C-alpha cells in the first residue's frame, strides 16, 4: 500500500519547512564532486515541491542557502549561485503547471545581481498562482532576521509610528521576512543532523520536528509522506493538557 494512502488529508500541516542537508556527504559517498551533490539535490526539490502541491500543502519553505554558507569555499558558493539561476529558469514551467507561487526570504541583496534578477523574474511570473506558496530561504539567517526586526521596530518607536505598549507577537510577525506566512507546523531535517541551524527560530516555536538519516538527494516522495504521517500521529497541545484538547 502506498504511504500516501495512510495520510489524513483533513489533518495536513499548513506549513512545512525543510532543512535540505546532506548534498556534500551524498556526493562524497558516490565518489563525486560536491557540486554534483547539489545538482542531484535539485531533483529532490522538484519531487518534494510537486508532492506537496498534490497533497494540498499550502506553504513549503526550503532552506536553500544560509548566511553562514557565504563562508564556504568561493568556488562552491559560485557553483551554488549558478545552480540557483539555472534551477529557477528550469523549474518555472513546473511552478506554473502546479499553480505554485514563488516567494523568497533572507538578505537577498547579498545575492549576485544575476541571481537576484532571475529570482525576481520567477516571483513576478508566478505571483498570480494560488495553490501553494513555495518560499526559498536564501542568504537567510534567523538571528539576522530577528536583529533586523528589532532595529526596524525600534526606529518606528523612536519616530512615534509604533507605541512601545503596542508591541506584541502580531507586531513582531509583521516585521519578519515571513510576515505573510503562517507559523511552521512541521520542520524536517535530512542527513541525520539534529540541529535547527539558525532557521526560522521564531516561526518554529510550536513546530513538530522530524529528523531523518536520509541524505537530501535520496529524499523521495515516500520520505516526505513518512514525515507527514509522523506529524499526524502526534498530539499538538500548544501548552494545554491532553484533556483540554480532547
Amino acid at each position: 500500500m502506498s504511504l500516501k494512502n495512510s495520510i489524513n488529508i483533513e489533518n495536513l500541516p499548513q506549513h512545512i519547512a525543510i532543512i535540505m542537508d546532506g548534498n556534500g556527504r551524498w556526493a562524497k559517498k558516490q565518489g563525486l564532486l560536491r557540486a554534483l551533490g547539489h545538482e542531484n539535490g535539485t531533483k529532490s526539490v522538484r519531487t518534494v515541491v510537486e508532492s506537496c502541491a498534490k497533497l494540498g500543502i499550502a506553504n513549503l519553505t526550503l532552506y536553500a542557502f544560509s548566511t553562514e554558507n557565504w563562508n564556504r569555499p568561493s568556488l562552491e558558493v559560485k557553483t551554488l549561485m549558478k545552480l540557483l539561476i539555472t534551477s529557477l529558469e528550469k523549474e518555472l514551467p513546473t511552478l506554473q503547471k502546479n499553480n505554485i507561487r514563488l516567494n523568497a526570504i533572507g538578505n537577498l541583496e547579498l545575492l549576485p545581481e544575476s541571481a537576484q534578477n532571475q529570482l525576481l523574474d520567477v516571483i513576478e511570473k508566478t505571483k498570480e498562482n494560488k495553490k501553494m506558496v513555495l518560499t526559498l530561504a536564501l542568504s537567510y539567517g534567523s538571528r539576522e532576521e530577528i536583529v533586523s526586526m528589532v532595529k526596524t521596530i525600534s526606529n518606528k518607536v523612536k519616530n512615534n509610528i509604533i507605541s512601545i505598549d503596542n508591541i506584541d507577537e502580531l507586531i513582531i510577525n509583521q516585521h519578519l521576512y515571513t510576515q505573510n506566512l503562517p507559523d511552521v507546523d512541521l520542520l524536517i531535517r535530512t542527513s541525520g543532523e539534529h540541529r535547527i541551524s539558525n532557521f526560522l527560530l521564531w516561526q518554529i516555536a510550536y513546530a513538530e520536528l522530524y529528523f531523518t538519516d536520509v541524505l537530501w538527494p535520496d529524499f523521495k516522495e515516500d520520505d516526505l509522506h513518512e514525515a507527514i504521517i509522523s506529524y499526524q500521529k502526534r498530539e499538538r497541545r500548544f501548552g494545554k493538557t491532553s484533556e483540554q484538547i480532547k
Side-chain angles (χ1 to χ4, degrees), residues 1-221:
M1 184 178 71
S2 170
L3 286 174
K4 185 177 180 181
N5 295 331
S6 300
I7 294 175
N8 177 4
I9 299 301
E10 302 300 318
N11 183 29
L12 291 172
Q14 289 303 296
H15 188 178
I16 296 177
I18 304 179
I19 300 174
M20 307 179 293
D21 195 16
N23 289 341
R25 272 166 285 171
W26 181 90
K28 188 175 181 180
K29 281 178 64 177
Q30 311 291 327
L32 302 171
L33 296 173
R34 287 178 63 87
L36 291 174
H38 296 308
E39 282 185 26
N40 278 274
T42 63
K43 298 175 184 176
S44 293
V45 170
R46 175 186 282 189
T47 296
V48 168
V49 168
E50 290 194 303
S51 298
C52 283
K54 283 189 288 185
L55 280 172
I57 304 298
N59 297 278
L60 173 64
T61 299
L62 303 178
Y63 204 5
F65 191 88
S66 72
T67 51
E68 291 77 18
N69 286 155
W70 290 114
N71 296 320
R72 291 191 174 187
S74 59
L75 180 59
E76 183 172 352
V77 171
K78 288 179 182 177
T79 299
L80 286 168
M81 290 299 110
K82 288 179 182 177
L83 187 59
L84 171 63
I85 294 168
T86 56
S87 296
L88 286 167
E89 185 177 11
K90 185 178 177 181
E91 297 304 324
L92 177 57
T94 300
L95 298 178
Q96 300 289 39
K97 180 184 73 175
N98 290 281
N99 197 19
I100 297 169
R101 177 166 67 85
L102 184 67
N103 180 42
I105 59 173
N107 191 348
L108 304 179
E109 292 181 358
L110 294 181
L111 298 174
E113 187 175 353
S114 54
Q116 290 184 50
N117 291 339
Q118 187 66 57
L119 183 64
L120 292 173
D121 181 61
V122 178
I123 288 173
E124 175 65 23
K125 287 176 178 174
T126 62
K127 66 180 182 181
E128 301 299 329
N129 293 346
K130 305 294 185 185
K131 188 170 185 179
M132 187 176 85
V133 176
L134 169 62
T135 300
L136 299 181
L138 293 162
S139 186
Y140 174 87
S142 190
R143 286 184 172 183
E144 181 185 65
E145 176 185 31
I146 291 169
V147 168
S148 175
M149 172 271 296
V150 170
K151 287 181 177 179
T152 302
I153 292 177
S154 298
N155 190 54
K156 288 185 177 181
V157 169
K158 179 182 176 182
N159 290 289
N160 297 314
I161 298 171
I162 294 176
S163 166
I164 195 167
D165 295 326
N166 291 335
I167 297 175
D168 56 12
E169 289 187 16
L170 179 61
I171 292 291
I172 290 173
N173 279 324
Q174 289 173 344
H175 290 82
L176 293 172
Y177 293 142
T178 55
Q179 58 189 262
N180 296 316
L181 297 173
D183 282 348
V184 176
D185 295 310
L186 172 61
L187 175 70
I188 300 169
R189 180 168 188 152
T190 60
S191 87
E193 302 292 353
H194 293 73
R195 294 188 296 273
I196 304 305
S197 295
N198 198 18
F199 185 46
L200 300 174
L201 299 178
W202 173 274
Q203 299 87 342
I204 63 168
Y206 278 100
E208 299 298 324
L209 309 183
Y210 181 87
F211 300 103
T212 174
D213 290 336
V214 177
L215 300 175
W216 179 247
D218 291 328
F219 193 85
K220 308 304 180 188
E221 189 171 50

